Amino acid sequence: MFRKVLVANRGEIAVRVMRACEELNVGTVAIYSEADKDSGHVRYADEAYNVGPARAADSYLDHEAVIEAARKADADAIHPGYGFLAENAEFARKVEETEGITWIGPESDAMESLGEKTKARTIMDDAGVPIVPGTTEPVTEPEAVKEFGEEHGYPIAIKAEGGGGGRGMKVVWDESEVEDQLESAIREGEAYFDNPSVYLERYLEQPRHIEVQILADEHGNVRHLGERDCSLQRRHQKVIEEGPSAALTDELREKIGEAAREGVAAADYTNAGTVEFLVEEDPDRDGPLGPDANFYFLEVNTRIQVEHTVTEEITGYDIVKRQIRIAAGEELDFDQDDVEIDGHAMEFRINAENAAEDFAPATGGMLETYDPPGGIGVRLDDALRQGDDLVTDYDSMIAKLVVWGEGRDECIERSLRALREYEIEGIPTIIPFHRLMLTDEEFVESTHTTKYLDEEMDTSRIEEAQAQWGGKTESSAADDEDVVEREFTVEVNGKRFEVELEERGAPAIPTGGDGGGAQAASPPQPAGDSSGGGSAVEADGETIDAEMQGTILGVEVDVGDEVDAGDVLVVLEAMKMENDIVASRGGTVSEIAVEEGESVDMGDTLVVLE
């Protein structure tokens, strides 16, 4: 077993992995960006190392910085969690090639073959697993998309090779959209996954999203731990996950599980992974879908999933501890027939978003009140505590509420109770939305598909739920509270450390200024322009401002361009989503205040129109 594991992630998943390490008597190491220096995963770890500034590309995604932190800490293994570098085969290979450090995950070659969607489709097709009609080679030209549309019809899904969870996927509804959507998918793939390759699939309009949890060791054993139903999605982002699926018969469930096992075995895959499928819904069905229902391979997630907790609750297997044991060379100690499904579980992603405002992410705030629920069958995976500031540089998920019941009905009832108990003030969350869904007829009857939230549900119901159960979302803490930074040099066991301490509301530090009067010490200023994103605006006219903090992915106009209302001016990445900033009216672009790659804050001016 390992001595010390560095967790190359943040937030609740970092704490989740560290807890598994603690139970295995393994030391834990956190990494953090400057934005995360006070975050919960840093508090929980045995030791922590700064790997760079807030921008993920300069910290959590910096291969060398993460590996160097592992060296400094003398860690002998790295666990990537999910997101960031978890499915980056290049990083996994670098860890494998680093003497004395083990990668806790699938081998880099398997990650590469299954992580890239076209290769994965080929492997699954060869293994006899049904696949959605699509391409097995990357697509670069609009003509290839149009030819695919002529053969298979529209709509078409353009998907980034390294994408997942709807990121890097664009839907083309007719030929007129081909060029724009292809360019956007390529750009998103490059920006989020450092991989511009995209491929095509026939877009299934009313599917259910079913995924199978896999564990595979280095001794040839492959097991599946049943399925999860992740059909409740918003813009292809999962919101509520559950297991087992109420929409499948046992016969169909077994067919899908065995297909997942066979496909993973054919890829020589080890460690934990998830095989995702789309199952075509029958709108006229009376009862669960039978063994004749169509199901298609979607992708393999070569990592732990956000919703792995659902499977843990209904099988009793600690998947993260199994990951660590497999990486240490241990053999799976159970047969497929030993896997039993006990009861029903649901996971609710507690996102810092306002569901009534199209799930707009919170732009800041402090958890004035944080009082999570408890009781039988209730599990919380989180990292924040009361009084913590919300870090908005990354994903909007702040916690996961996982509820178990003997059956689906009890699980829903218990979930409603737990959500009513869950008290958060200071930031908006989607708890009101979750409470609404647990009384929604489509969800309760399990007849919803992946399109239900985006295309069918009456959004006024969400607004009513937010108004009724939203609670207090504005922090009353004084934003202008004085913060004094003090620097100390300390020595521990002969080793010197430079330590910076922040003191809020502290008296000013006396300095020897002119005239002998005491002066407050100024906090250190960053190099370059200290005004933040967006340059000074000189032109007169209507300003188009950033509605959230993010990074500029592209500027779509030039000074002097004539634009109409609805035209895209700037593409802004925020909370890992690509957002088009459009003109509210027609006019002429008189000034552009940002450039590609620049970080902006909410309220920064992007473009001026005359």
Side-chain angles (χ1 to χ4, degrees):
M1 184 47 64
F2 305 112
R3 293 178 294 98
K4 188 186 295 186
V5 171
L6 180 142
V7 183
N9 218 293
R10 65 179 299 277
E12 62 82 21
I13 185 57
V15 173
R16 165 72 186 94
V17 175
M18 291 172 191
R19 283 173 170 156
C21 291
E22 290 282 344
E23 292 179 19
L24 293 170
N25 197 30
V26 174
T28 58
V29 182
I31 59 171
Y32 64 95
S33 71
E34 292 173 5
D36 265 338
K37 62 182 180 180
D38 298 318
S39 292
H41 72 287
V42 178
R43 293 192 296 258
Y44 191 91
D46 295 328
E47 53 189 295
Y49 293 81
N50 187 318
V51 289
R55 185 169 176 263
D58 300 323
S59 52
Y60 293 111
L61 295 176
D62 186 330
H63 298 190
E64 301 308 323
V66 175
I67 293 174
E68 181 59 24
R71 288 197 189 99
K72 288 180 180 177
D74 193 26
D76 54 350
I78 292 178
H79 192 301
Y82 52 72
F84 291 135
L85 296 171
E87 291 182 280
N88 190 304
E90 179 186 356
F91 176 69
R93 188 168 291 112
K94 289 180 180 178
V95 175
E96 290 168 349
E97 293 171 353
T98 301
E99 185 177 355
I101 301 179
T102 299
W103 170 252
I104 300 179
E107 293 183 358
S108 57
D109 289 345
M111 288 180 66
E112 190 169 60
S113 59
L114 286 179
E116 292 193 9
K117 307 305 186 286
T118 52
K119 292 182 181 179
R121 285 169 55 85
T122 300
I123 291 171
M124 292 295 168
D125 194 27
D126 292 343
V129 180
I131 65 172
V132 179
T135 60
T136 54
E137 294 296 330
V139 171
T140 58
E141 299 299 331
E143 288 69 24
V145 183
K146 295 175 182 178
E147 290 174 5
F148 185 87
E150 291 174 2
E151 181 179 355
H152 297 284
Y154 292 88
I156 302 168
I158 306 177
K159 295 186 172 184
E161 286 271 15
R167 298 189 182 100
M169 185 182 86
K170 300 297 176 182
V171 179
V172 181
W173 294 96
D174 58 60
E175 187 174 307
S176 67
E177 299 178 346
V178 167
E179 284 82 0
D180 288 344
Q181 297 292 54
L182 177 61
E183 180 183 342
S184 182
I186 291 172
R187 182 175 60 218
E188 239 180 65
E190 189 165 24
Y192 299 142
F193 313 107
D194 196 26
N195 185 350
S197 295
V198 299
Y199 66 101
L200 308 179
E201 278 184 357
R202 182 167 71 84
Y203 186 64
L204 302 180
E205 296 193 60
Q206 292 294 330
R208 297 191 71 88
H209 186 122
I210 304 295
E211 60 187 31
V212 178
Q213 178 67 57
I214 290 291
L215 286 174
D217 62 26
E218 299 171 359
H219 307 277
N221 300 302
V222 181
R223 309 284 184 260
H224 78 76
L225 304 183
E227 88 285 353
R228 301 182 288 258
D229 193 322
C230 306
S231 300
L232 195 70
Q233 300 180 9
R234 176 190 61 84
R235 298 175 186 166
H236 308 287
Q237 294 289 306
K238 301 165 188 174
V239 184
I240 299 176
E241 301 99 341
E242 61 180 308
S245 173
L248 308 184
T249 58
D250 287 340
E251 293 86 356
L252 181 57
R253 175 175 293 114
E254 184 60 24
K255 282 183 67 175
I256 295 174
E258 283 306 307
R261 285 184 71 193
E262 291 168 6
V264 165
D268 294 326
Y269 185 91
T270 57
N271 215 268
T274 302
V275 187
E276 300 194 343
F277 296 89
L278 294 179
V279 181
E280 285 196 301
E281 180 61 272
D282 178 3
D284 300 320
R285 69 178 167 95
D286 182 18
L289 293 164
D292 295 331
N294 293 325
F295 67 91
Y296 303 101
F297 167 75
L298 177 62
E299 63 184 9
V300 177
N301 293 119
T302 57
R303 54 172 168 79
I304 195 75
Q305 289 277 90
V306 175
E307 59 274 18
H308 73 278
T309 58
V310 169
T311 300
E312 290 179 332
E313 293 304 305
I314 61 176
T315 65
Y317 292 106
D318 186 321
I319 298 171
V320 177
K321 285 168 70 173
R322 295 282 175 174
Q323 281 189 292
I324 297 169
R325 291 184 183 278
I326 290 171
E330 296 185 18
E331 186 173 0
L332 291 174
D333 58 358
F334 63 94
D335 295 324
Q336 186 61 54
D337 291 341
D338 295 331
V339 179
E340 296 182 357
I341 305 300
D342 178 23
H344 197 95
M346 292 184 178
E347 177 185 275
F348 303 87
R349 300 190 184 200
I350 308 302
N351 297 340
E353 300 172 354
N354 188 331
E357 295 181 1
D358 197 25
F359 292 83
T363 56
M366 184 186 78
L367 273 72
E368 292 185 335
T369 300
Y370 186 76
D371 190 5
I376 187 170
V378 176
R379 165 180 171 179
L380 250 297
D381 280 23
D382 59 11
L384 291 170
R385 293 294 177 264
Q386 186 163 302
D388 283 355
D389 290 324
L390 180 67
V391 176
T392 59
D393 298 83
Y394 313 107
D395 194 87
S396 60
M397 189 173 67
I398 59 174
K400 299 184 312 197
L401 171 64
V402 191
V403 180
W404 178 91
E406 291 186 6
R408 192 170 189 264
D409 289 343
E410 182 180 67
C411 185
I412 289 175
E413 293 165 357
R414 184 168 287 161
S415 297
L416 277 168
R417 186 266 296 172
L419 288 163
R420 285 193 294 267
E421 286 183 13
Y422 207 155
E423 187 176 358
I424 299 178
E425 292 185 349
I427 60 173
T429 72
I430 60 171
I431 289 175
F433 166 80
H434 289 316
R435 293 176 63 175
L436 171 66
M437 292 314 304
L438 291 179
T439 61
D440 180 83
E441 183 177 356
E442 290 280 347
F443 181 79
V444 171
E445 296 298 324
S446 196
T447 54
H448 60 288
T449 70
T450 59
K451 310 300 171 60
Y452 177 60
L453 290 183
D454 292 333
E455 300 176 7
E456 300 175 33
M457 188 174 182
D458 181 1
T459 56
S460 67
R461 297 173 58 209
I462 300 177
E463 295 169 2
E464 292 168 3
Q466 188 70 31
Q468 182 175 359
W469 300 313
K472 182 181 175 185
T473 60
E474 292 185 1
S475 175
S476 61
D479 293 333
D480 58 352
E481 184 178 27
D482 289 336
V483 178
V484 174
E485 293 189 358
R486 307 179 190 269
E487 295 184 359
F488 300 90
T489 300
V490 297
E491 187 171 307
V492 180
N493 294 330
K495 186 175 182 179
R496 293 172 64 85
F497 297 89
E498 300 296 326
V499 180
E500 294 182 359
L501 299 179
E502 285 186 357
E503 202 168 345
R504 298 184 178 273
I509 301 173
T511 63
D514 291 342
Q519 298 177 351
S522 299
Q525 296 297 317
D529 182 10
S530 62
S531 59
S535 58
V537 175
E538 298 177 358
D540 295 328
E542 180 184 2
T543 62
I544 309 299
D545 300 333
E547 297 180 356
M548 60 193 77
Q549 185 184 54
T551 301
I552 302 299
L553 285 184
V555 179
E556 304 299 308
V557 293
D558 295 315
V559 173
D561 283 358
E562 298 287 337
V563 297
D564 296 322
D567 285 353
V568 178
L569 306 176
V570 172
V571 181
L572 175 68
E573 182 271 326
M575 295 292 184
K576 300 184 183 177
M577 297 290 287
E578 184 173 310
N579 302 274
D580 290 336
I581 308 301
V582 302
S584 57
R585 63 171 179 81
T588 303
V589 177
S590 60
E591 185 172 344
I592 299 173
V594 293
E595 58 186 28
E596 184 176 334
E598 184 175 354
S599 297
V600 296
D601 291 323
M602 183 178 68
D604 284 351
T605 295
L606 309 177
V607 176
V608 180
L609 296 180
E610 286 186 349

